Amino acid sequence: MSLTRAKNFNAGPSALPLSVLQKAAEELVNYQGSGMSVMEMSHRSKEYEAIHNDAKSLLFELLNIPTEYDVLFLQGGASLQFTMVPMNFLKEGKKAAYLMTGAWSEKALAEAKKLGEAYEAASTKNEKYRSIPDIKELTLSPDTAYLHITSNNTIHGTQWHSFPETGNIPLVADMSSDILSRPVDISKFALIYAGAQKNLGPSGVTVVIIRKDSIEEARKDIPTMLRYDIHADKNSLYNTPPAYGIYMLKNVLSWAKDNGGLEGLKELNVKKAALIYDAIDQSNGFYQGHAEKESRSYMNIAFRLANEELEKKFLAEAKNAGFVGLNGHRSVGGCRASAYNAVTYENCLALRDFMLSFQKNN
Ligand SMILES: *Cc1c(COP(=O)(O)O)cnc(C)c1O
């Protein structure tokens, strides 16, 4: 049977590995002889428990997470973490610091300000978030509760390629759009969170990687569902977890393991992004990349054409050629190609070729 798949460059939710979708289809109505879909199972059953714990141990293995950390599966997306982080850690007399590198950092800071005192530790807003701040040594106020960073800026197409040293101040990262795309030294972070729908699976599950001493420090006098310690104590089974999403996450992680792990995925992601950046760089200004070169993201490639009319034409012709999701975020316009883990090299090559021929004809 021939299978027509879109050349999917969506920013999120985004492409999933075909083999993962096919496995899910095979197991949809009868998961491993159970006579049930994973969606129909008790979240307290042995079958589900195995899926849940496999997803967790695959994350530990692939991301090389040290034993002094725990992994949680929560709901509410990365956006609820904008609230949960300050609610748990921004205590009376402390301030939260935020590194401002785009629209998602702004949203995270805005939530913190509703709950306590928060300040901007650095910002590239004046440069339209084209770059990552150059930080060798950050000076943070000693009463800083934590420093929040957005590792990859999905909308502006920039990415931190190394992380600041924060000494005793806990580093918290929103890694929604680049988790699992490259090796990261987890031990630098007190907490990492990521909505699943970019690199990890379908929307509905949020992965939180949290150091155990931070769990102990987190507030206990806040609503139960917003307490990290409760979810950690109950192995993310305090209430019904997003079970099907966690099942899909497990399958995506198995796929990642079979595809070279983080080293292998990074190598491929760099090559994929280079195809598109090269088309931009060699276009004599026909395509203009948004990000400055040293801050470029391997996941989201944001670019513009000479004017909106030409951009409209580009997007319309790309659509006819089978490309999906190349429009920029509604807040910034232009074009954006999101080349997450599951986006194939072949599709990036096809996009590069399309860009070259569009330039030639225009
Ligand atoms: C997509 C995204 C979010 C928002 O995620 P939700 O799961 O929709 O809340 C937050 N931060 C970053 C960096 C993102 O890419």
Coordinates of all heavy atoms in Angstrom, one line a residue, residues 76-79 82 104 150 152 154 174 176-177 195 197-198, ligand 1:
G76 N -0.9 19.6 31.6 CA -0.9 21.1 31.6 C 0.1 21.7 30.7 O 0.2 23.0 30.6
G77 N 0.9 20.9 30.0 CA 1.9 21.5 29.1 C 3.0 22.2 29.8 O 3.1 22.4 31.0
A78 N 4.0 22.7 28.9 CA 5.0 23.6 29.4 C 4.4 24.8 30.1 O 5.0 25.3 31.1 CB 6.0 24.0 28.3
S79 N 3.3 25.2 29.6 CA 2.7 26.4 30.1 C 2.3 26.3 31.6 O 2.4 27.3 32.3 CB 1.4 26.8 29.3 OG 1.8 27.1 28.0
F82 N 5.3 27.0 33.7 CA 5.6 28.5 33.9 C 5.0 28.9 35.3 O 5.6 29.8 36.0 CB 4.9 29.4 32.9 CG 5.4 29.1 31.5 CD1 4.6 29.6 30.4 CD2 6.6 28.5 31.2 CE1 5.1 29.4 29.1 CE2 7.0 28.3 29.9 CZ 6.2 28.8 28.8
W104 N 8.5 32.7 24.7 CA 8.2 31.7 25.7 C 8.9 32.1 27.0 O 8.3 32.0 28.1 CB 8.6 30.3 25.3 CG 7.8 29.7 24.2 CD1 8.3 29.4 23.0 CD2 6.4 29.5 24.2 NE1 7.2 28.9 22.2 CE2 6.1 29.0 22.9 CE3 5.4 29.7 25.1 CZ2 4.8 28.6 22.6 CZ3 4.1 29.3 24.8 CH2 3.8 28.8 23.5
T150 N 15.4 29.3 28.6 CA 14.6 28.6 27.5 C 15.7 28.1 26.6 O 16.3 28.9 25.9 CB 13.7 29.6 26.8 OG1 13.0 30.4 27.8 CG2 12.7 28.8 25.9
N152 N 15.8 26.4 23.9 CA 15.6 26.6 22.4 C 14.4 27.5 22.2 O 13.3 27.2 22.8 CB 15.4 25.2 21.7 CG 15.3 25.4 20.2 OD1 16.3 25.6 19.5 ND2 14.1 25.2 19.7
T154 N 11.7 28.4 20.1 CA 10.9 27.8 19.0 C 10.4 28.8 18.0 O 10.4 28.5 16.8 CB 9.7 27.1 19.7 OG1 10.1 26.6 20.9 CG2 9.1 26.0 18.8
D174 N 13.4 25.4 30.4 CA 12.3 25.0 29.5 C 13.0 24.4 28.3 O 13.5 25.1 27.5 CB 11.4 26.2 29.2 CG 10.3 25.9 28.1 OD1 10.2 24.8 27.7 OD2 9.6 26.8 27.8
S176 N 11.3 22.5 26.0 CA 10.2 21.9 25.3 C 10.6 21.6 23.8 O 10.1 20.6 23.3 CB 9.0 22.9 25.3 OG 8.5 23.0 26.6
S177 N 11.4 22.5 23.2 CA 11.6 22.3 21.7 C 12.9 21.8 21.4 O 13.3 21.7 20.2 CB 11.2 23.6 21.0 OG 12.0 24.6 21.5
G195 N 7.1 20.2 27.3 CA 5.9 19.6 26.8 C 6.3 18.6 25.7 O 7.3 18.8 25.0
Q197 N 5.0 17.6 22.8 CA 4.6 17.6 21.4 C 5.6 18.1 20.4 O 5.2 18.2 19.2 CB 3.3 18.4 21.3 CG 3.4 19.9 21.6 CD 3.2 20.2 23.1 OE1 3.4 19.4 23.9 NE2 2.8 21.5 23.3
K198 N 6.8 18.4 20.8 CA 7.8 18.7 19.8 C 8.7 17.5 19.5 O 8.7 17.0 18.3 CB 8.7 19.9 20.2 CG 8.0 21.3 19.9 CD 7.1 21.7 21.0 CE 6.5 23.1 20.7 NZ 6.2 23.9 21.9
Ligands
LIG1 C1 5.7 24.9 22.6 C2 6.4 25.6 23.7 C3 5.9 25.9 24.9 C4 4.4 25.8 25.2 O1 4.1 24.4 25.4 P1 2.6 23.9 25.8 O2 2.9 22.5 26.1 O3 1.7 24.2 24.7 O4 2.2 24.7 27.1 C5 6.6 26.5 25.9 N1 8.0 26.7 25.7 C6 8.6 26.4 24.6 C7 10.0 26.6 24.4 C8 7.8 25.8 23.5 O5 8.4 25.5 22.4

